Amino acid sequence: MAAEQDRDLKELLQKFVRVRLVQMGGVDLNIFQFDPLLSWALFFMNGDKTIYGRFGTAHQLAKRSQKDSNKNHTITGMKVALKGALAVHEQYVADQATMSKRLANKTGPKPLWRYVDKTPQAKKYKRMGRMRGDKGSCVHCHEVQRAAIDSYFMKKKELPDRMLWMYPHPEVVGVTLDRDRSARVTAVAPDSAAAHAGVKAGDDVVSFAGQPLLSVADFVWVLEITPDEGGKLPITVSRGGKNVDLELELAPLWRREGDFGWRYRVAGYAAWLWGGVSLADHKDGVLVANRSPGWFKKTNRDGWRELKRGDVIFEVDGKTGWTRSLYLAYLMREKKPGSVVKLKVKRKGRTTRVTFRVPAKRPEVLGH
């Protein structure tokens, strides 16, 4: 639709062989790794499966029911990414050895399960016909991460931060990027990792961790494959016509500076099924924004009854300092099925003790 309305975009697209994947059954996750909350994303690839870059960044206010609601996607930004992909392709053809090294990490580490329909979760719930992986299946993109998380639970594997605080946005390290450019810095947060590295507003990020950037999604990708333990990432910016080499250092637990609570396919089940409520961040802790949606058939009725709209959770099992994401991660990783959660909440100006029980059985996510 966009190409029909924008002549320049249409001409750019004609320079590519375009292939559309409309469902994830049988798709190789060793190659196609992406933010599952996107309604669509672009991969720029060579025929030999070398990835040049990506386009598409999730937006926490985007709703599937609202047409073109993702404000991170612009036609201008898409055209910039397409032109960048063509430039990288020319470099790749001219010097494949050098570019192969620069592009190697555009392909991420191998996931535990290569195909979503082959995960333990998908195998267990075979009654979900669309998880078969054959011509009759229709595995939704947003189910990729949920199937992986549920499979971690089933195999009793520890759930790392990267499975929850996934695809961190640039703001996590203190930068805001122009959505119409490849990676132009429009703002740098004081006392952030980017500020300490010397990044400045107006800089154009030329490369990050050695990777060329075609769009904001490529900046996000570098953060996505950075270990939870943090580390030092080289970052080269163009400033005043000259390239400046800097180093961005991420501390351990750096991902937790972000928020995954808006990712309903990752966090919604912990909030609704295990806690019985919808949550939001609050200056004093975690706000109970509402009860679980009424259409959610297997919500935790215990939590639904005990927690009231407007409650602010400030203590969980004797500990304070909670954000929405930290609280949800605690429920998902630390609380065993059937266990009790002990809370202190502020309710109408008074402190109230609240307890509720986590469901005795982890819910079947794809059954909802």
Side-chain angles (χ1 to χ4, degrees), residues 134-149:
D134 59 21
K135 293 182 180 179
S137 68
C138 183
V139 183
H140 299 176
C141 295
H142 60 246
E143 291 170 337
V144 172
Q145 188 70 359
R146 277 306 321 179
I149 289 174

Side-chain angles (χ1 to χ4, degrees), residues 135-201:
K135 293 182 180 179
S137 68
C138 183
V139 183
H140 299 176
C141 295
H142 60 246
E143 291 170 337
V144 172
Q145 188 70 359
R146 277 306 321 179
I149 289 174
D150 285 357
S151 295
Y152 267 73
F153 288 147
M154 292 172 64
K155 293 297 182 180
K156 301 187 184 303
K157 293 181 179 291
E158 183 178 352
L159 199 63
D161 280 4
R162 63 180 173 79
M163 295 292 290
L164 299 174
W165 284 272
M166 58 187 306
Y167 288 87
H169 284 188
E171 287 77 9
V172 170
V173 298
V175 297
T176 302
L177 299 180
D178 187 342
R179 62 187 181 181
D180 288 336
R181 304 276 186 159
S182 296
R184 174 164 293 177
V185 179
T186 59
V188 179
D191 199 31
S192 63
H196 291 309
V199 179
K200 299 180 179 180

